[in-house]
Amino acid sequence: MKPIDFTDLKTIVEINSWTGNKEGVDLSGQTMKNWLKPLGFNVEVFQRENVGNHLLFTTPQQNNAPKILLLGHLDTVFPPGIFEDFSEDDEWVYGPGTCDMKGGNFVALSALRNLHQQHGQICNIDVLLVSDEETGSDDSKFVTRQIAHQYSACIDFEAAGPDHEVVVGRKGVATYKIGLTGVAAHAGNNYHLGKNANLAAAKLLIALDELTNISQGTTVNVGKIKGGISTNTISPHAELMVEARFTQSEEQQRVLGAIPELIHQHGIEGVTANIEGGLQRDVMTPTPEQRALLEKITAILGYELKTEQRGGVSDANIMAGAGVPTLDGFGPFGDGDHTEHERASKSSFERRIKEVTAILGHYNLGQ
């Protein structure tokens, strides 16, 4: 096999596309547009003011054949000036996004180029590139959910496992900000007149923590708490930042139902509570439909892909939550992601590009 030319990967890696850098994220997206449009893709741009634009690339659907969505994100976690260079040696490529997930986008691009070269026209394959995955997809998740019904399958290009495992399950996550409002009073002279928001927060922290069920893979964590004015003042306000994670749909429903009810049960008369936030990404669990997709891929490749479940989340959660059979981890294997030591394996790129080319060739033929 001809060695892979990583010039295009270098180009996008060296564009700073920190989620907060809209200009850089949009430049990265424009670069992908410049490469995908010559392959026959049309592009729909979801214009945004505060984050980068989301991009949906589409091809014709032939004879109601099954359509597959390739899912990726344009953003990385590194602000300008932190980690922006690309380098390589015989075994690895190094740089921001080489495995998370500009490397994954490069796998998808390379496979689509192979497909175009082999068949001349690409059909039944769309690509969605979002701009805010690293900060929770708070904007793009609505786009992803909106288009999900159009697809019979989805593969996401987050990094592969160390033995090229694909991901069949991910924890779901919900985040909340809970505000508590009490009544200030002098702690020495008028203690009895105060309504202590800090005390309500302490009791609520314990109650929230008790929603955790480790045996079921459910955790509820109050990761940050603040409140009060001074040691001699009954606290008039407090705030809790809460994250919940779950591995089962039933547990997701239990926790999402319990938290909004629980915030009013802190037991401190005169302290009121309000809550912001909610479900960020649905739990992703193995399903019979997903198993059928894996078996289809096994038949195409001639061997079975190893699988794993991960505690972290991705946009695959959103597609899976919308009922679309979804597999994740089709990017290259790498490590050091979210650090200045991020890298990806060159041999892994070779394997993944070959596999994805074969899978997409099947869909391109309407099979």
Side-chain angles (χ1 to χ4, degrees), residues 140-167:
S140 63
K141 65 185 177 185
F142 299 104
V143 174
T144 307
R145 289 170 181 163
Q146 176 186 336
I147 67 172
H149 70 279
Q150 302 174 29
Y151 302 100
S152 65
C154 173
I155 57 176
D156 194 317
F157 286 83
E158 297 285 355
D163 201 11
H164 290 88
E165 295 89 348
V166 295
V167 181

Side-chain angles (χ1 to χ4, degrees), residues 62-335:
Q62 289 188 331
N63 302 319
N64 293 318
K67 292 196 75 174
I68 188 169
L69 181 69
L70 313 185
L71 188 54
H73 64 85
L74 299 164
D75 59 325
T76 63
V77 300
F78 302 99
I82 300 298
F83 177 45
E84 298 182 312
D85 297 329
F86 176 92
S87 62
E88 60 180 301
D89 57 28
D90 290 343
E91 296 184 14
W92 301 90
V93 292
Y94 304 84
T98 46
C99 71
D100 183 18
M101 69 175 303
K102 292 179 179 182
N105 295 341
F106 180 73
V107 168
L109 172 69
S110 300
L112 290 167
R113 284 172 167 168
N114 290 343
L115 212 60
H116 187 263
Q117 185 176 27
Q118 294 168 7
H119 300 281
Q121 183 181 20
I122 297 176
C123 299
N124 313 315
I125 302 165
D126 292 353
V127 181
L128 177 63
L129 298 177
V130 305
S131 69
D132 62 345
E133 192 274 344
E134 294 291 5
T135 54
S137 300
D138 289 334
D139 185 274
S140 63
K141 65 185 177 185
F142 299 104
V143 174
T144 307
R145 289 170 181 163
Q146 176 186 336
I147 67 172
H149 70 279
Q150 302 174 29
Y151 302 100
S152 65
C154 173
I155 57 176
D156 194 317
F157 286 83
E158 297 285 355
D163 201 11
H164 290 88
E165 295 89 348
V166 295
V167 181
V168 296
R170 288 184 178 272
K171 286 187 175 183
V173 61
T175 56
Y176 298 94
K177 180 171 74 173
I178 299 170
L180 297 165
T181 302
V183 177
H186 192 286
N189 296 330
N190 297 304
Y191 185 94
H192 63 289
L193 298 178
K195 309 298 181 183
N196 195 330
N198 281 0
L199 182 57
K203 290 177 176 289
L204 187 54
L205 184 154
I206 294 170
L208 288 164
D209 185 76
E210 288 176 347
L211 292 174
T212 293
N213 187 334
I214 296 296
S215 67
Q216 297 297 313
T218 302
T219 56
V220 179
N221 177 54
V222 181
K224 183 177 181 180
I225 184 169
K226 64 180 181 179
I229 297 173
S230 64
T231 58
N232 63 352
T233 303
I234 302 300
S235 172
H237 51 72
E239 182 180 279
L240 299 89
M241 303 297 292
V242 185
E243 181 193 80
R245 291 184 183 249
F246 15 77
T247 61
Q248 301 178 43
S249 297
E250 296 80 4
E251 283 292 284
Q252 174 176 310
Q253 294 172 9
R254 177 181 72 86
V255 172
L256 293 182
I259 290 178
E261 294 294 326
L262 192 63
I263 67 166
H264 302 291
Q265 300 173 21
H266 49 71
I268 306 302
E269 184 178 355
V271 175
T272 60
N274 65 80
I275 187 169
E276 299 176 18
L279 182 66
Q280 190 180 76
R281 291 190 177 100
D282 290 282
V283 64
M284 177 182 176
T285 58
T287 65
E289 294 78 13
Q290 184 195 69
R291 168 49 58 183
L293 176 60
L294 270 171
E295 291 173 353
K296 181 177 182 177
I297 290 173
T298 297
I300 294 168
L301 299 179
Y303 56 87
E304 187 173 354
L305 295 174
K306 294 183 178 181
T307 63
E308 66 177 4
Q309 299 193 38
R310 295 181 186 171
V313 297
S314 80
D315 286 335
N317 292 69
I318 302 169
M319 288 296 290
V324 180
T326 301
L327 295 169
D328 199 355
F330 274 88
F333 167 67
D335 56 26

Side-chain angles (χ1 to χ4, degrees), residues 36-37 40-44 56-60 127:
L36 286 170
K37 291 185 75 172
F41 284 88
N42 294 314
V43 60
E44 180 178 359
L56 176 62
F57 298 89
T58 59
T59 62
V127 181

